[in-house]
Amino acid sequence: MRYMELGSSGIQISKMGLGTWAIGGGPAWSGGPDEDRAVDTIVTAVESGINMVDTAPGYNFGNSERMVGKALAKLDRSQVVLVTKCGVVWNRTGAVWNKVGDRQLYKNLTPASIRLEVEESLERLGTDYIDLYMTHWPSVEPFYTPISETAAELNKLKEEGRIRAIGAANVSISQIKEYLGCCELDLVQGKYSVLDRAVEDELIPLCRENRITMQAYSPLEQGLLTGTVSKDYRPEPGNARANKKWWQPGNMERVIDMLDAWRPLSEKYRCGIPALCLAWIMNQGDTVNLLTGATSPGEVRMNVPAADIVLSDEDRQLMRKMAEGLDG
């Protein structure tokens, strides 16, 4: 496993982190894994060299954090870089956002709400500090909170030792620049896969310039890039995949054909298709990190070798060219 610095924080993180949205289960994931498998997945990841574990209260109404907390109880806490988020709530008011099942989620980044969220997350996680605390989504009207006010509260939490570093997810270039004027920003998350490369236009260059780690989420397009999906598969209505571009009929089949054409590369690098796709992301520069959403110990063991794969420039460009060919 390769490691890198988290922004300019001095914290060392594995090149690959474990994302636990799917592990939290719930309606968005048609139930998700059972508790024992979820906990074993997290423990296996850490024991395999993945020291960064990412969760959020909004992942099935705190259930993902509870699963991570159960896993932390079986691990050396000092060996885990724990990431969770704030700004998505369901137990108090805010700007109306997504509805999951019959429960409503709201966006709220007021200092008072963040202060409550930290305490709630620490209790679910069974720890007394969070290594990286991130805003999950930008605030919006009618509960808009200026970034300066949100950042001021995050700075206080950092001074108090409740959190060690600050990050932001799903933010625009202008919002990142605003954060940089108010706090030390160490990580920004963005959707990034060989199929979705929009972050390369502005986000990755901005992160390089300001020593911010750019962490890719959904690098396997919620499982499509695993090479295990059949052409006749259709996501159930309400499933998190159902409305995504590459999961639509016609698009999905073309992606599967491309993955089949990559089998020789898989053999060349002695890895599976998922590891090949993950390696492509991790070969995009020293500031790029990624989250893998493994939901079983077997998936973790399958993905971990990707962190050590160094693709040749020729192969990296070949994969890019073939993926770009699907855009038309």
Side-chain angles (χ1 to χ4, degrees), residues 201-238:
D201 296 336
E202 294 183 86
L203 181 55
I204 290 179
L206 180 66
C207 288
R208 287 189 184 123
E209 181 182 343
N210 291 280
R211 288 190 66 189
I212 302 170
T213 297
M214 203 302 287
Q215 186 174 63
Y217 66 81
S218 290
L220 294 178
E221 288 291 335
Q222 297 180 325
L224 181 56
L225 292 175
T226 60
T228 62
V229 179
S230 64
K231 290 185 177 181
D232 59 356
Y233 171 80
R234 294 293 180 268
E236 299 174 9

Side-chain angles (χ1 to χ4, degrees), residues 2-6 11-13 15 213 286-289:
R2 288 183 288 167
Y3 294 86
M4 59 188 286
E5 185 178 3
L6 171 62
I11 300 170
Q12 290 295 303
I13 58 173
K15 189 74 170 172
T213 297
D286 294 339
T287 60
V288 178
N289 182 274

Side-chain angles (χ1 to χ4, degrees), residues 229-299:
V229 179
S230 64
K231 290 185 177 181
D232 59 356
Y233 171 80
R234 294 293 180 268
E236 299 174 9
N239 186 282
R241 299 164 168 168
N243 63 345
K244 300 299 189 295
K245 172 183 175 181
W246 294 109
W247 286 92
Q248 302 308 306
N251 288 343
M252 190 178 71
E253 291 84 349
R254 291 189 298 129
V255 172
I256 293 171
D257 287 341
M258 178 184 72
L259 298 180
D260 286 341
W262 287 354
R263 299 291 173 187
L265 288 176
S266 178
E267 294 174 7
K268 177 180 178 179
Y269 290 99
R270 298 181 180 180
C271 68
I273 289 296
L276 187 69
C277 294
L278 295 174
W280 188 88
I281 294 289
M282 289 183 282
N283 276 258
Q284 299 305 315
D286 294 339
T287 60
V288 178
N289 182 274
L290 67 75
L291 287 179
T292 173
T295 58
S296 71
E299 289 179 1

